[in-house]
Amino acid sequence: MDMQNAVVEGLVAVLVVGWIMYRQTRWQALDPNRLWRGPIVLGLVGFLQMKSVVAGGGLGVTAVALLALSAVLGAGIGLVMGLLSQVRAGERGLEARTGWAGTLLWIVLLAVRIGVDLVARASGAQVVTSIGAILLVVAVNRAGRALVLTRRAERAGLVAAH
């Protein structure tokens, strides 16, 4: 049963990351409400999944440190992704795409997550390797990107109004 869960969790992670990478290369309407929907949904699902995992095994100091490191790196990469995003005026208002630079940063984030997972497994902090922890890192990353893009959209609106 554990192998089946690992396969399902791995498949879900690959699908979520693949979908996000695909969408990063496409021009999307820059709607602040829509920007925040993904991080909120991913964060809630990740939190609920983590809650059940933590209830079963608890959190040690190593797990908390690795989770905090993952969150800080995920947020930092998300902020940079927001700064690197291209923004343009489209037919229906502002549009944005993160592009290939953002996709490369996703690969960096994935590499960091794999490294964190290896350290977590070696140190017995298995909770860090759960799909909930991964979804929380993705949510924090997407929130960092959304924060920067929301600010950029607000500034573009102010500039266009003058």
Side-chain angles (χ1 to χ4, degrees), residues 30 32 35-36 145-155:
L30 191 51
L35 276 174
W36 287 101
R145 178 181 173 272
L147 179 66
V148 172
L149 286 176
T150 300
R151 300 271 185 211
R152 289 179 68 188
E154 290 171 354
R155 275 190 248 127

Side-chain angles (χ1 to χ4, degrees), residues 20 30 42 52 55 59 63 88 92 99 114 139:
I20 291 171
L30 191 51
L42 289 171
S52 66
L59 283 175
R88 72 176 185 189
R92 297 169 282 149
I114 290 169

Side-chain angles (χ1 to χ4, degrees), residues 6 11 46 58 63 70 78 101 111 116:
L11 183 60
S70 295
V116 167

